[in-house]
Amino acid sequence: MTITTLPELAAAVRAFGRERDWHLYHTPKNLTAALIVEAAELLEPFQWLTPEESLNLPPAKREAVRQEMADVLIYLVSLANCLDIDLLKAAEDKLAINRSEEHTSE
């Protein structure tokens, strides 16, 4: 199955969790904690790299980063599913807020 949209990903993540009864443990608190752990794991491959090195990762390290990014995204989508939040709409709204704050700070 190829996933091409965020709603498709949300449905796939929801189904994957239900198949394993993970929804029993996927509370906002638990999902947020897991998200933070995964975000920290995403940082690890970059620790101690120069800015230039961080832009030119060797293939194995790039794949590790790719996998951690997927974990972060999956937990974020799981949290959005749990709280019934439309991530695309939330991002759109946040960009509009940031845009308006830029204009008011000038």
Side-chain angles (χ1 to χ4, degrees):
M1 173 175 96
T2 300
I3 298 170
T4 60
T5 68
L6 196 50
E8 288 175 356
L9 177 60
V13 167
R14 188 179 300 109
F16 188 84
R18 282 192 184 138
E19 291 165 6
R20 290 155 181 79
D21 287 330
W22 289 353
H23 64 281
L24 301 172
Y25 311 101
H26 281 189
T27 64
K29 178 194 130 330
N30 289 348
L31 290 168
T32 303
L35 179 61
I36 293 302
V37 169
E38 293 300 336
E41 290 178 9
L42 176 57
L43 175 61
E44 189 176 17
F46 295 103
Q47 190 174 10
W48 312 119
L49 296 183
T50 65
E52 181 64 31
E53 289 169 332
S54 72
L55 290 167
N56 297 294
L57 298 174
K61 193 170 275 198
R62 182 176 171 83
E63 179 59 22
V65 167
R66 180 178 172 271
Q67 293 294 318
E68 293 305 333
M69 290 173 71
D71 287 340
V72 168
L73 178 60
I74 289 167
Y75 275 117
L76 184 60
V77 168
S78 295
L79 180 59
N81 281 345
C82 183
L83 295 174
D84 195 28
I85 292 175
D86 180 335
L87 283 173
L88 290 177
K89 180 66 174 138
E92 178 184 339
D93 292 348
K94 185 62 177 180
L95 285 170
I97 290 167
N98 290 348
R99 194 172 293 114
S100 70
E101 288 175 356
E102 285 177 1
H103 293 297
T104 60
S105 65
E106 292 176 352

